[in-house]
Amino acid sequence: MAGMNMFLSGNEAVAAAVRLARPQVIAAYPITPQTTVIERLAEMVEDGSLASEYLHVESEHSALSACIGASAVGARTFTASSSQGLLYMAECMHYASGGRFPIVMMNANRSVALPWNIYGDQRDSLSLLDSGWIQAYAEDAQEAFDMLIQAFAVAEHPLVLTPAMVNLDGFALTHTYELVNVPDPSDVDAFLPRFTTANRMDPEHPVSLGFTAGPQHNQAFKQLQHLAMLASGQVIREAEERFGQRFGRSYPGLVETYRCEDAERVIVTLGSVAGTVRPVVDRLRSTGERVGLLRIRYMRPFPDGELRAALAGATSVGVLEKDISFGYEGTVFTNVNSAFARSGASPRNLLNFIGGLGGKDITPTDIENLFARLAAPEGLETVTFI
Amino acid sequence: MAGMNMFLSGNEAVAAAVRLARPQVIAAYPITPQTTVIERLAEMVEDGSLASEYLHVESEHSALSACIGASAVGARTFTASSSQGLLYMAECMHYASGGRFPIVMMNANRSVALPWNIYGDQRDSLSLLDSGWIQAYAEDAQEAFDMLIQAFAVAEHPLVLTPAMVNLDGFALTHTYELVNVPDPSDVDAFLPRFTTANRMDPEHPVSLGFTAGPQHNQAFKQLQHLAMLASGQVIREAEERFGQRFGRSYPGLVETYRCEDAERVIVTLGSVAGTVRPVVDRLRSTGERVGLLRIRYMRPFPDGELRAALAGATSVGVLEKDISFGYEGTVFTNVNSAFARSGASPRNLLNFIGGLGGKDITPTDIENLFARLAAPEGLETVTFI
Amino acid sequence: MENRKERKITARNLDDREFFYGHKGCPGCGGSLAVRLALKVLGEKSFAVLPAGCMSAIGFVFPQMAFSCNAMISTFAGTASMLAGVAAGARALGLEGIHAVGFAGDGGTADIGLQALSGAIDRHDRIIYICYDNEAYMNTGVQKSSLTPTGARTTTSPVGNRLRGAVTPKKQMFEIVAAHGIDYAATASVGHPLDYLRKVEHASRVEGTSYIHVFAPCPVGWGHDSAETIEVAKAAVDCGLLYLAEYTGGGFILNHDPGEFSSIRDYLLGQGRFRHLGEEEIEAIVAQRDSRWQRIRREWRT
Amino acid sequence: MENRKERKITARNLDDREFFYGHKGCPGCGGSLAVRLALKVLGEKSFAVLPAGCMSAIGFVFPQMAFSCNAMISTFAGTASMLAGVAAGARALGLEGIHAVGFAGDGGTADIGLQALSGAIDRHDRIIYICYDNEAYMNTGVQKSSLTPTGARTTTSPVGNRLRGAVTPKKQMFEIVAAHGIDYAATASVGHPLDYLRKVEHASRVEGTSYIHVFAPCPVGWGHDSAETIEVAKAAVDCGLLYLAEYTGGGFILNHDPGEFSSIRDYLLGQGRFRHLGEEEIEAIVAQRDSRWQRIRREWRT
Amino acid sequence: MSHPSRSKAYRPPSRLEDYPTGTVFPAGHLVETSSGWRSKRPVIDTERCINCLVCWLLCPEGVIRKSPDGRLEIDYDYCKGCGICARECHPGVILMKQEGA
Amino acid sequence: MSHPSRSKAYRPPSRLEDYPTGTVFPAGHLVETSSGWRSKRPVIDTERCINCLVCWLLCPEGVIRKSPDGRLEIDYDYCKGCGICARECHPGVILMKQEGA
Amino acid sequence: MVEIRWHGRGGQGAFTAARLLGVASALFEHRHALAFPSFGPERRGAPVLGFTRIDDRKLTDRSMAGACDVVAVLDDTLLEPSVLQGLRPDGLFLVNTSRSVLDIEPPPGVRTVLFDASSLASQYLGRPIANTAMLGALAASSDVIGIDAVIRAVRHEMKGTQREKNADLAKAAFLVLGGVA
Amino acid sequence: MVEIRWHGRGGQGAFTAARLLGVASALFEHRHALAFPSFGPERRGAPVLGFTRIDDRKLTDRSMAGACDVVAVLDDTLLEPSVLQGLRPDGLFLVNTSRSVLDIEPPPGVRTVLFDASSLASQYLGRPIANTAMLGALAASSDVIGIDAVIRAVRHEMKGTQREKNADLAKAAFLVLGGVA
Ligand SMILES: Cc1ncc(C[n+]2csc(CCOP(=O)(O)OP(=O)(O)O)c2C)c(N)n1
Ligand SMILES: Cc1ncc(C[n+]2csc(CCOP(=O)(O)OP(=O)(O)O)c2C)c(N)n1
Ligand code: SF4
Ligand code: SF4
Ligand code: SF4
Ligand code: SF4
Ligand code: SF4
Ligand code: SF4
Ligand SMILES: [Mg+2]
Ligand SMILES: [Mg+2]
C-alpha cells in the first residue's frame, strides 16, 4: 500500500481526506463531536498544506449557505456538522440538493436535543433522510477516509450532481484513534480531478440559478433529482472500483454482507456498531449458528435490491439502529421493511432493535441476546429498546 | 348544529379555531400560503376577540423558540408555518417534542426549494416526520377547524404531552373558501379546558428544564417520548368521540376508509387530494368496479394496525402522495409498506404514485388511470410520477 | 476608457444596458428600480444574490429570467452568507472583476437575514449588500417587519381601536451595521438616483463589506399611486424621516441636510398605510424626527 | 424591607443564597462567577434561560441540577426568543415579579444568537440578556468566535507562519445593541463585581430589554492560572481594552476612565493565547485602543 | 443589444430530458411580455423632449431606450404603464393614454 | 438553607416509570460533589480574617459561607481549589494547602 | 356542478366576485360551494383569475383542470382568445364592456352577454368597481344564482357605506339585464 | 485483546498516554490498536479516562463495557475504589505515586506497581507531566508494549524540545522499573 500509515482519530482521518480532496472553499461551524475536523482544517490552511478559502461563519445555516454560494460559482466545497447544527441547516440541505450543488459534508452522528446529549446516535442524519443528500455511513476511520474521497467523486459526477454526506458515529468513530492509510496526494489528484460543472455562474455566459419553477415544471426538476440520486448507486460502485484499483482497498457497494451466505438470522445495521456485531457473528458461527451481519453503507440511495438479494435466504431479520421515529419505529427498519414489502416476500421474523440512543452502550452481550431473540419463533413485540 | 355557518378559507377556519382555543401566546412568522392565518390572528388580537400575547418574531426559529419558552412557563401556545419556514425551525421541532411541550402548529403544506415554488406539496411536513410531532392532515376546511381544536386537547393530554401539527394543503385548502361551522365559544371552552402541566417553571417549586441526559439516561427519555406518541392514538380517538358528542361531527380516528369494505383496489392517500379520489371511486363503483379510498389522517402516530385491517382484503394498493424521498420512493409509501412487511402479508400489487409536486394538478382522470394501473397484474415500476 | 476610480455617474454615462428586464414586479415598484440602477453601475460581471422576497419572486420564474447578469436566489436567511460563498469561490477560482452583490428586502435584511449579514461584516467579506427597504414583507402580502415605521398599517399591524398600526420604532439598520465597524455603509433613496448611483459605485471599489440601505417605495403596500413612487421617495428625505448618509473609516457623514423640513403630515397622509394617523400621532413622529436630527447634526460630519 | 428602587448592592447586603451551586465548571471559571453573582441580585424569582455553551453544559446534567431557581437550556440560537416566550407566557399567566434572564456566551450572543437578540430588542421585550464573554467557543474547545480579539490563538485561529491567531477585530456587541436603541445596555467585568451587580440591579428595573456584556475570563481557554481570573478581568479594564460603560435613553455613559492605562503588553503576555504576539502586533493593539478611547472620551458622557 | 427581448421561438420543455440539470438557465431569457398589465400607455412627444434622460433613469422597467438617432423609444412589450416617466418628466412631454381607447 | 447540598439518599431511576415526563427536574438537586477535582485546598485563617467578604463575593463556586457566628466557612464538597479566594484576599489570610499531603 | 371563472386584473376584485358568489350560494341558497383564487408571481395590474364551483352535493374535488360553465370578464382589456379556454360549448360568456362587438368570438353554442358594468358601478359607487354589478348580471343571465342570494351575500360580507350601495348596484345590474327577481 | 485504562485529571495527559500507546503498538509493533478518551461535561481538574485496546487481529468492537487488563493511574489523588472497577483478577494496577502503601486494595490476583513517575518527570522535563514515564513503566512491567515502540512513538508524536526529553524519560522509567530492552 502506497501512502503513509498514521494513527488518527476518525475526525483526523476526515480532515486528512479533505486536505487531499482540495476543496476550494470550506465553511463550517463548531459542534461537538465534529469540532476537531474543522480545527485540523484550520491548521492545514494556516500551515499552507491546504489552499482553501476558510470561512468563519456565524452559524450552520450560514456554513451551508456559503458552500452553496461557492458551489454556485463552480468551487469544490466542504462542510461538517452534527446534530443541532445539521438541523439548523435543514433548510439549506434541501436547497443544496434541489439546486444540485455537489457539496460534501461530514456529519458526526450525535443525539438530538431534548434532552441534550453529545454522544453518538443517528437521529440527526436519519431524520434528514428526505433532504436529497447521498448518505454514507462509515464503520471505521479508514472507511471514513476513503468514503470522503469517494464522496467528492460521486457527488460531482455529471450524472449525479448531488450533495453527499459522510456519517461517522460520534466519539465511537470521531474520537477513536486507529491506523489509517493516507495515500499520496498525486494519487488522489488522479482519482479525483478538478470539479467542472455547467451549474454555475459564468462570467462569459451569465445564468440564473436557483429559480422558481411553477406547478407545470416543478415536478420535472424533482423527478430529475430522484433519477440522479438513483443513478448515484452505479456511480458509487464504479468509484469504489476505480478506488480499489488505485489504492488497493475495495468496497462492496451500498451494502456489505458479513457471513450472510447461508444465514438464517441476520442483523441489519449501519455505522460503527457493525464492528460489535462482527465478532459476535464469528463466535456464534463457531458454534454452528447460522447468523450473519448486513451493514448498510448507504441509506440514500437506498439499496433495496441489494438488501433483498442478500437477505433472500434469511428467515429472521433484526434491524438494529440508533434512531426512533416517534410513534412508529426506527427509520432504518421502515426503509428495510419497505424493500421487503415491495417484493411481496418478507422474512418470517422482522424485528426492530432500537439502541444506542444518546450514546447508550451496545455490548457484544446485547448482540448475542438479539441473535437469540431472532431465533425465537413468534409473538415478539416488533420494536424493542435495548 | 349549534354555532355559526361561515364561508371561510382553510386558513380563516384555522384562525377561527385558534381564537376559540384561546392560546395565551402566539408567535409566528409570515410565509405563503400560511400568511393569512397569522394576519387574521393579528386582527383578532387587535379587536380584542383574542386575548393572546402576539409576538412579531424575526424568523421561524425564533417563532418556535418563543413558543417553547412560553410553554415552559405553562402557557398554551400556537404557531403556524410552511415549507422553508418549517425547515428553518427544524431544530426547534425536535426540541419541542423532546421537551414534551404541547405546542400546536398549523402547517400550510408547500413545496420545498430548490426550485422555489409556493404551491402545495407535502415534502415539507413529511420530511420532518421523525421530529416527534403528532402530524394530522386535513381534507377540507371543516376538518382543519375541528382537527385544530382537537389538536390542543390531544397534545396537552397528560398521557401525551407532545406537540401537534395540523397540515393543510397549500392553496387547495388554505386559500379555498367553503362552508365551515364555527361552534360557540362556550362549547369549545367545555371541550378544551385550561392547560395545566407540571412540565413548567414554577415560582413556588423551581425546576430545571431542558437539561442534559447522558448515555445512561438519555434513551429512557426517548423511549417515554415514543410511548407517549403511541398513546396519543387512543387519546385522539377519545377526543374525536367527545368532540362528536358535543359538536355533532364525528371522525373515524387515524385513518378514514371510503368504500373499502370489499374493495380489491384501494388508493391510499392523505390531505385534500382524497377529495379528488372520492368522486372517482363513486363513478367506478357505479360501474361495478371494486375500488376504494383510504385516507391517512394522522401520519404520526402511524396507524399501521388500522391500515392493515382496512386493507386486509385489497389485492392492489396504490399509495398516492405529494412527496418523494430522493433515491428511494415516497415517504408515505415507505411507511405503509413497513406496516405490511411487519404483518408478513403484502398485497399483490403495491404501487407508489408520486404527484402534485410543486402544485402539479392531479385530476380525476389521473385518478382513473391510477385505478386502471392497479388493475393490471404485474410488471409495473414501483414508483411512478404522475 | 474612463478611469473607474474617479467616475462620476450621471444619466449620460450610465450603462445603456439593462440587467433587470422583463420582471413581474408591480407597476411603479421602487425596489425594482433600485435593483435596475445598481446593476447598471456594477455591470455584467455582477454575481447577484437575492433572497426570497419580491425581487426574486418577480425575477426568476422559469423559464422567464429577468436578470441578464449572473444571479441567484438565496434562502431567505442566507443572502449574506451565500454572497460570502460566491465571493470566496470566485476568489478561489481566480475570477477577476466580479461584484458579489446582494439585494435583500427589509425583512430579509433586518429580521431573518441579520445574523448572516453581521457575520459577513465581521469577516470583512468583499461583498456589496443592498437592502431595498419597502418597509414591510411585501412578497407575502404586506406584513410588519422590524423596518416598518411606527404607525404604519400592515396586515399584521392592523389599525383599530386597540392598535394603530405598527407600535415599535423602525430598526436602525444603518446605525447597526455602522456599529459593526463596517468598511462602508450608506443610506439612499430611489428619489435621489444620482446619490444612490454614486454610493453603489463607491461600494464597488471598497475592499471589504459594503452595505447600502436604499429606500424603495412600494405603491401596493404603501397605498400610493404607482406614478408617485419617486415623489414619495423624495418626500421621505425632504421631510427628514430618511437621511442620506454614509459611514466610512469610523465616522458618519451626512450627505444632505434639507434645512427646513417639508411636512411630515403630507408625507404620511399621502399614503394609505398612514391615513388613520391622528394629529397627536403625527406630532410624536415629528418629535422623534427632530430629536434624531438634533443628534445627527451634532455628531455627524457633513 | 429595603426599597428595591434605591438599593445599592454591596457584599454586605447581597443575598446569601446561592442559585448556581455544584456545577461542573472548571476551577476559576469567570463565566460561572458572572452567573452566580447575577442570580444573587435577581433572586429566586429568576426564570433563567441558557443556550448551549459552558454554563448550560456544566449546570444541568441529569440528575445533577446546579440551578436553584427556575432555569432552562435553550437552543444555541434561541436564547433571546425563548426568553421572549418565557416573558410573554409569564405575563399572559399573570405571574408577578419574575425576571426572565438569559446567560449566553459570546458565541451564543454575537454569532448564532444575534438575530433573536436583535428581534427581542426590537420588540422591547422585558428580558435581561447577559452575555458572559469568554472570547471564544469554550464549550466545544476554544474555537474563534466573532468576539475573539485580534491576535488571540484559538483552535480555529491557529498561530504559525501564515496566521497569528484571530485576524478580525472583536465585534462591538455593546455598540451594536446600543445602535438598536435598546432600553438599557452595559458592559461589565467580573473583575469589578460591584459595578456589575449594580448594572444587573438596574436591568432588573428596566421596563424593556436590557443587555449586559460581562467580561469573564476562562483560565482554560485563555491560558492563565485559575487563581488569576479576577486579576485578568481587572487588568483588561485597567489597560483599556475593556471599558465599563452604559447606554441608556439614547446616550452612552463611561463609568470609569482609568486615566493612565496599565500595560497592554503585560495583559496580553500574561495569557497563553497571546503569548506569540510580537512587539509590532502589540503596538497595533495599543494604537487601536488609543483611537477607540479618543472617540469614547470625546463622545460619551461620564 | 442592450435589452433582452422575448424569445418567441422558445417552447417550454415537455420531456424530462429537456430540463436543465440543476436550477440553472440562461440569464435574460424572456418568454412572456407584460404589456397586458397596462391600462394606460406612456407616449413621448419626442419633438418637445429635451433629452434630460430623467424618464430613462427612473423607469423601474428600464423600457425607455436611447435609439440610435438620440430619440427615446419605449419598449411597449414590457412597459407596465406605471406613469412614473410622465410624472417625473419636467417639461411634461409624456402623456399617459388609455389603452385600447 | 442558603446552599443546596448533596442529596445522598437519591438513587437514579432504573425503571422507565421513574423518569420525569419531559426534561423537568427539581432545581438545585445535587447528587455528586466536586471535591475530587481539587489538588489544593483553601484554608481560611479565621482569626486574621477581616471579614471584608471579598472571597465570599468572588468565589465562582459560591462555596464560602457566612456561618452564624460571622466566620467564614468553606463547603469543601464543592470547592474546586481554584485559588481565587486566596489570591484576592488582601490580608492574605487564605492558604492553599496541597490535598492529601 | 357548475364552475364559474372570473377574469380581472390584480386589484379589480375578481376573486371577491368568486367568493361572494360562493357565499350567496352556500349561505343563502344552501348549496355546496367552493371559491378559490389563482395565485402566482404576477403583481398588481397583471391578469388574475377567480373560481367558484357550485353543486347540490358536497364538492370534494379541488383539482384545477376542468371545463367551466361561465366565463365572466371584469375588464375588456383582458379579452384575448385564451380567456375562452375550457368554456363549455353551451356556456355563458359574460363581459363587462362598453362595446357591443368584441374582437374575439366564442364558439357557436356559447351565449355571450355584454354589459357595461363599470359605468353602472361608477353611477352607484362613484368608482368603476364592477364585481358586484357582474354578480347581479350573472343572476340575471343564468340560473347559477338568484339575485336575492347575491344581495344577501353582499350585505353579509361588506361593511359601512359600501354595503347598501353594492347591494343596490347588484340589484340594478340584475334589472338592467332583464332579470326577474 | 488487552485493554488499558488510563486515569488522570483533565490536563494531565491521560488520553495522550492512551494514544501514544496506540501509536506505539499500531505503527511500531504492527499490531491493531484503538485509543479513545472518555468525554463528559466535566472540566479541567475533573477525573478523566483514556483507553487503549490492542490485539493481533483487527479490532472492530467499540463498545465501552468490558473488563480491562491494566489500570494506570497518573495522579494518586484519584485513588478511589471505583478506579479498580472492571480490572481483571489477573490484571496490572500501575500507579504514579510517591507512596509505598495505598488506601485502596486491589483484589488478590492483581499485580500492583507503584512508581513515582512525577518525580522522574520533574527531573527530565522540569514539570511533573508523568504520562510518558508511565508508558515506560508499562513497558517495563508488562508485555503490553515494548520500550522501543514506546520511544519511537514518543519521537513520532512529539515536537521540539519535548521530543527527546520525553523519549529519555520513558526510557529512564523503563530502566528504573527494571525493564530489559
Ligand atoms: C425561511 C423563510 N421564511 C419565510 C419565507 C416567506 N417569505 C418569502 S419572501 C417574504 C417577505 C420578504 O420581505 P422583504 O425581505 O421585506 O422583501 P419584500 O418582499 O418586501 O421585497 C417572506 C416572509 C421564506 N421564503 N423563507
Ligand atoms: C445549532 C448549534 N450549533 C452548534 C452547537 C455546538 N455548540 C454548543 S456550545 C458551543 C460553543 C458556545 O460558545 P459560547 O456561546 O461562546 O459559550 P461558551 O461555551 O464559551 O461558554 C457550540 C459551538 C450547538 N449546540 N447548536
Ligand atoms: S409588492 Fe411592492 S415591492 Fe413587491 S413588486 Fe409590488 S411594488 Fe414592488
Ligand atoms: S472552559 Fe472556560 S468558560 Fe468553560 S467552564 Fe471552563 S473556565 Fe468556564
Ligand atoms: S409608464 Fe412606467 S414602465 Fe412605462 S415607460 Fe413609463 S416609467 Fe416605464
Ligand atoms: S423626462 Fe421628458 S424631457 Fe426628459 S428625456 Fe424623458 S421625455 Fe424627454
Ligand atoms: S479555592 Fe476557589 S472554589 Fe475554593 S473557596 Fe476559594 S475561590 Fe472558592
Ligand atoms: S477575603 Fe480574606 S479577609 Fe476578606 S473575608 Fe475573605 S478571608 Fe476574610
Ligand atoms: Mg420588504
Ligand atoms: Mg464563549
Side-chain angles (χ1 to χ4, degrees), chain D residues 1 7 13 47 90 97 106 109 139 176 191 195 204 206 214 289 295:
Chain D
M1 212 186 115
R7 183 174 146 206
N13 63 12
F47 281 15
D106 47 300
T109 298
N139 187 43
I176 290 170
D195 174 74
S204 75
V206 168
V214 55
R289 174 206 53 199
R295 193 168 51 76

Side-chain angles (χ1 to χ4, degrees), chain C residues 54 105-108 132-139 143 145:
Chain C
C54 273
D106 47 299
Y132 63 92
D133 183 5
N134 52 28
E135 301 198 321
Y137 296 112
M138 294 309 175
N139 187 44
Q143 292 84 32
S145 81

Side-chain angles (χ1 to χ4, degrees), chain B residues 64 93 96-97 103 105 131-135 163-165 229 300:
Chain B
L64 191 48
M93 293 193 56
S97 65
I103 299 157
M105 183 194 309
S131 62
W133 285 57
I134 293 169
Q135 284 202 358
M165 180 198 291
M229 174 75 95
R300 284 293 179 275

Side-chain angles (χ1 to χ4, degrees), chain B residues 277-297:
Chain B
V277 180
R278 256 173 234 282
V280 177
V281 167
D282 291 342
R283 197 146 59 238
L284 295 178
R285 279 280 179 180
S286 72
T287 68
E289 300 195 40
R290 284 162 60 186
V291 298
L293 160 69
L294 186 147
R295 181 167 68 93
I296 298 178
R297 298 181 68 241

